[in-house]
Amino acid sequence: MPEKPFSLAVSALIRDDEGRVLLLKRAAAASINPGKWDLPGGALDPGETFDRALWREVREETGMRVTLRHVAGAGELALPTRRVAYLVMTCDVDRTEISLSPEHEDYAWVAPGEAATMDLVEQFRGLF
């Protein structure tokens, strides 16, 4: 049986001035991980660099602009037809007000210890 191909996705670990991290709750109608808590981010478009993809995804999902600082970690998710490798970047933001996209139904700024107790998507459980 052939191995499933990998695709790349990028996610933002965004902290506010109090050290809390931003989590987004995926919509109940989402095809992957409905109702679970996630980091902002998503897949790269063909030919797109990971920094541009992350800027685009965060803007689409939260309305915020980010500045990438450094690599925070990585994760992996197995899907039926592919595996997704996630590159997680620590980011600064221009503001903390959120404008959610239809992909998400809620958001929370939580302490890292609290994030570890939430119903997180599988690929980010080891980050907190």
Side-chain angles (χ1 to χ4, degrees), residues 69-124:
R69 293 297 174 203
H70 56 83
V71 175
E76 181 181 339
L77 177 64
L79 297 173
T81 60
R82 63 189 163 97
R83 295 178 290 174
V84 182
Y86 288 85
L87 177 62
V88 182
M89 300 294 295
T90 299
C91 299
D92 294 333
V93 291
D94 62 339
R95 58 190 170 92
T96 56
E97 296 82 26
I98 308 293
S99 177
L100 284 179
S101 74
E103 294 177 54
H104 300 94
E105 60 188 34
D106 201 2
Y107 71 93
W109 290 98
V110 299
E114 183 182 352
T117 67
M118 297 174 75
D119 189 16
L120 288 171
V121 294
E122 174 185 337
Q123 63 269 27
F124 301 132

Side-chain angles (χ1 to χ4, degrees), residues 3-76:
E3 288 285 324
K4 291 189 253 183
F6 273 100
S7 61
L8 179 62
V10 289
S11 296
L13 182 61
I14 300 171
R15 294 183 191 269
D16 67 7
D17 292 339
E18 298 174 32
R20 299 175 302 175
V21 296
L22 175 63
L23 296 177
L24 305 179
K25 188 172 186 182
R26 296 186 57 82
S31 61
I32 299 172
N33 293 314
K36 293 196 178 278
W37 291 93
D38 198 0
L39 296 174
L44 280 69
D45 289 337
E48 189 175 38
T49 62
F50 74 84
D51 52 347
R52 290 194 185 278
L54 193 53
W55 292 328
R56 175 183 52 76
E57 286 286 346
V58 171
R59 185 86 169 146
E60 289 173 2
E61 294 179 358
T62 68
M64 298 187 300
R65 295 180 195 273
V66 294
T67 302
L68 283 63
R69 293 297 174 203
H70 56 83
V71 175
E76 181 181 339

